[in-house]
Amino acid sequence: MLEDSGFVDVEIGPAVDTFAGASGEANARRFEVFGHAFRARKPG
């Protein structure tokens, strides 16, 4: 999707537990939901 938007050098970071301590933490664990950082640049 990022590349389709014109971004290049797209990198995806490691999985991060973004739900620790949140009210939905149990559901996030059950469904193995994690956050990922994305890094890219738009030439020009």
Side-chain angles (χ1 to χ4, degrees), residues 2-4 6-7 9-10 14 16 19-23 27 30-31 33 37 39-40:
L2 288 172
E3 287 137 342
D4 291 342
F7 288 91
D9 300 331
V10 176
V16 177
F19 288 94
S23 61
N27 289 328
R30 187 174 330 146
F31 294 104
V33 176
R39 187 167 118 171

Side-chain angles (χ1 to χ4, degrees), residues 21-43:
S23 61
E25 182 176 5
N27 289 328
R29 298 257 182 271
R30 187 174 330 146
F31 294 104
E32 298 180 6
V33 176
F34 296 96
H36 293 268
F38 291 85
R39 187 167 118 171
R41 67 179 182 87
K42 191 140 187 175

